[in-house]
């Protein structure tokens, strides 16, 4: 900022000295009395050319700096927009993964509840089997007692109206035995189904645990990527702050150039003895164009003076002839 202030002040002094010392019409100094009009005209022409050249160079540099600054600002805005879009897509991706993970956890919870229900069903069937075994055991003991005491059965036949022969009692025994075998077979089938259900439950639990572990690993990877993107965002924010600081310095320099141009424009109207239009006070480019035209007009005036002086006879040359 200090250098920018120094450069602006130097530029203002340069234009001020140029227009006050070179462009305004002054009385010739004591040391320039012995210069010929042609030499003075050439000196004025050279000074006018230098001023015009310096003004043109300043104008071109000003336009180039403004264009470069605008391009840099547009590029930063595009990069910032791309970064915001990338962050939005990444946030959407994380939300979708969280939704998938929630659905997987919900499904695992449902499967776990089904497993508990199966365990309760297994427990109920086990109790039922135990009861049936007790019934079979009692029936078997009863049949054994009946087989051992055949005579007792025969005596029972004499007193019983339900059975007429011992074969009916044996048939009843066979029926009970078949029932026992059916119950045992049913128990075996139930045991096989229980083992299959337990194996399926264990396999399902392992698969869901592996799936949850995979989701956790993926989530950790995505978290790492998020941290990297956030670090990149901090870096770009620092770069944007630096660009803004540079733009502020350029803005200060631009203000100083505008101030110098305004002062130069005021000197021009002061020389013309005219009042500066209010609508042109803030139009820097218009002021520069008018200053350039003013310099061109002064150059043409200098040429006219040179032609007039060339047309007038030199009194020193005519003196000896008279």
């Amino acid at each position: 900022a200090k250098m920018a202030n120094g450069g602006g002040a130097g530029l203002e002094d340069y234009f001020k000295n140029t227009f006050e010392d070179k462009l305004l019409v002054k009385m010739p100094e004591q040391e320039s009395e012995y210069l010929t009009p042609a030499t003075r005209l050439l000196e004025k022409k050279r000074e006018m050319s230098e001023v015009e050249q310096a003004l043109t160079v300043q104008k071109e540099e000003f336009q180039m700096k403004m264009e470069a600054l605008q391009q840099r600002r547009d590029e930063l805005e595009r990069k910032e927009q791309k970064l915001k879009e990338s962050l939005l897509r990444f946030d959407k991706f994380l939300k979708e993964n969280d939704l998938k993970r929630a659905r997987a956890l919900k499904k695992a919870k449902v499967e776990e509840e089904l497993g508990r229900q199966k365990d309760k069903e297994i427990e109920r069937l086990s109790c039922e089997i135990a009861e049936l075994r007790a019934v079979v055991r009692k029936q078997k003991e009863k049949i054994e007692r009946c087989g051992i005491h055949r005579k007792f059965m025969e005596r029972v036949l004499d007193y019983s109206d339900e059975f007429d022969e011992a074969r009916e009692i044996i048939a009843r025994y066979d029926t009970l035995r078949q029932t026992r075998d059916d119950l045992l077979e049913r128990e075996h089938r139930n045991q096989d189904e229980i083992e299959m259900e337990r194996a399926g439950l264990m396999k399902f639990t392992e698969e869901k645990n592996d799936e949850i572990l995979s989701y956790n690993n993926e989530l950790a990877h995505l978290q790492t990527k998020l941290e990297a993107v956030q670090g990149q965002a901090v870096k770009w924010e620092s770069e944007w702050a630096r660009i803004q600081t540079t733009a502020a310095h350029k803005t200060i320099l631009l203000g100083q150039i505008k101030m110098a141009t305004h002062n130069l424009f005021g000197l021009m109207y002061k020389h013309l003895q005219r009042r500066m239009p209010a609508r042109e006070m803030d139009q820097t480019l218009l002021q520069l164009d008018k200053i350039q035209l003013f310099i061109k007009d002064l150059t043409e005036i200098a040429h006219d003076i040179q032609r007039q002086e060339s047309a007038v006879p030199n009194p020193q040359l005519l003196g000896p002839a008279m």
Side-chain angles (χ1 to χ4, degrees):
K2 184 177 181 181
M3 293 178 64
N5 292 329
L11 182 62
E12 182 179 356
D13 293 338
Y14 172 78
F15 281 108
K16 183 176 181 181
N17 294 331
T18 299
F19 273 83
E20 286 183 350
D21 298 338
K22 297 181 179 180
L23 298 183
L24 297 179
V25 178
K26 294 183 177 181
M27 295 298 294
E29 300 291 342
Q30 185 67 27
E31 60 271 17
S32 63
E33 291 180 355
Y34 299 100
L35 296 178
T36 63
T39 303
R40 288 197 300 271
L41 183 61
L42 289 175
E43 183 66 20
K44 291 293 182 179
K45 181 178 180 182
R46 183 184 61 81
E47 293 174 355
M48 298 273 282
S49 177
E50 290 178 356
V51 172
E52 183 177 1
Q53 184 178 2
L55 182 62
T56 303
V57 170
Q58 289 291 333
K59 183 177 180 181
E60 292 177 354
E61 290 180 354
F62 172 75
Q63 292 179 351
M64 290 176 62
K65 289 179 180 179
M66 289 298 294
E67 292 176 358
L69 183 61
Q70 185 63 35
Q71 291 177 1
R72 181 62 176 170
R73 184 176 298 172
D74 295 340
E75 182 67 19
L76 288 174
E77 289 178 355
R78 287 194 296 270
K79 289 182 179 180
E80 182 181 7
Q81 184 64 27
K82 289 182 180 179
L83 183 60
K84 288 181 179 179
E85 292 175 357
S86 177
L87 289 174
L88 289 175
R89 290 194 299 270
F90 186 72
D91 185 64
K92 181 180 179 182
F93 180 70
L94 287 179
K95 290 180 179 178
E96 291 177 354
N97 280 342
D98 291 338
L99 185 60
K100 291 179 181 179
R101 183 172 180 270
R103 286 200 296 265
L105 292 174
K106 183 177 180 181
K107 186 176 180 182
K109 186 176 180 180
V110 172
E111 295 294 339
E112 185 178 357
E113 183 64 25
L114 291 175
R116 286 195 296 268
Q117 293 178 1
K118 291 291 184 181
D119 290 337
K120 291 180 180 179
E121 182 68 17
I122 291 171
E123 185 178 357
R124 186 184 65 78
L125 292 175
S126 298
C127 293
E128 185 178 350
I129 291 171
E131 292 176 357
L132 292 174
R133 285 178 177 176
V135 174
V136 170
R137 185 173 61 254
K138 290 179 180 180
Q139 293 293 335
K140 185 177 181 180
E141 292 175 356
K142 185 177 179 180
I143 292 172
E144 289 177 355
R145 287 196 302 271
C146 290
I148 296 173
H149 303 285
R150 184 177 180 181
K151 291 182 179 180
F152 178 76
M153 286 191 300
E154 290 177 353
R155 274 198 301 182
V156 170
L157 288 174
D158 293 339
Y159 294 99
S160 176
D161 296 333
E162 183 180 357
F163 301 103
D164 294 333
E165 295 180 357
R167 289 188 305 235
E168 294 178 359
I169 298 175
I170 294 173
R172 179 67 180 273
Y173 170 75
D174 292 337
T175 301
L176 294 174
R177 184 173 182 178
Q178 183 65 35
T179 301
R180 185 200 66 173
D181 294 338
D182 293 340
L183 291 174
L184 289 174
E185 184 179 358
R186 182 179 178 184
E187 179 186 3
H188 292 157
R189 288 198 303 269
N190 289 335
Q191 289 293 337
D192 294 338
E193 290 179 359
I194 290 171
E195 293 298 328
M196 290 177 63
E197 292 292 337
R198 285 179 178 174
L201 179 61
M202 291 180 62
K203 181 179 179 181
F204 176 78
T205 303
E206 292 177 355
E207 291 177 353
K208 292 304 176 183
N209 289 333
D210 294 339
E211 187 175 355
I212 292 173
L213 181 61
S214 176
Y215 280 127
N216 288 333
N217 293 334
E218 185 177 359
L219 183 61
H221 177 67
L222 293 176
Q223 184 67 29
T224 303
K225 290 181 66 177
L226 176 60
E227 293 175 356
V229 171
Q230 289 176 346
Q232 191 70 14
V234 172
K235 177 181 176 182
W236 282 113
E237 287 177 358
S238 300
E239 181 67 15
W240 174 244
R242 187 185 68 80
I243 294 300
Q244 287 180 334
T245 303
T246 304
H249 294 166
K250 298 294 184 181
T251 303
I252 293 173
L253 180 59
L254 177 61
Q256 294 172 349
I257 293 173
K258 286 184 176 181
M259 184 179 296
T261 303
H262 181 74
N263 293 335
L264 189 59
F265 193 63
L267 290 175
M268 183 187 74
Y269 270 94
K270 182 179 180 181
H271 176 74
L272 295 175
Q273 296 181 355
R274 292 169 57 188
R275 186 175 181 181
M276 185 188 303
R279 59 185 179 84
E280 298 180 357
M281 293 182 66
D282 296 331
Q283 300 183 13
T284 304
L285 294 178
L286 179 60
Q287 292 176 2
L288 290 173
D289 291 336
K290 288 198 172 185
I291 291 171
Q292 187 176 11
L293 292 175
F294 178 71
I295 292 173
K296 288 181 178 179
D297 292 341
L298 289 180
T299 303
E300 292 178 358
I301 293 172
H303 284 303
D304 292 339
I305 294 172
Q306 183 180 8
R307 285 194 297 270
Q308 291 176 4
E309 289 180 351
S310 298
V312 176
N314 193 338
Q316 295 177 0
L317 296 177
L318 298 177
M322 292 175 63

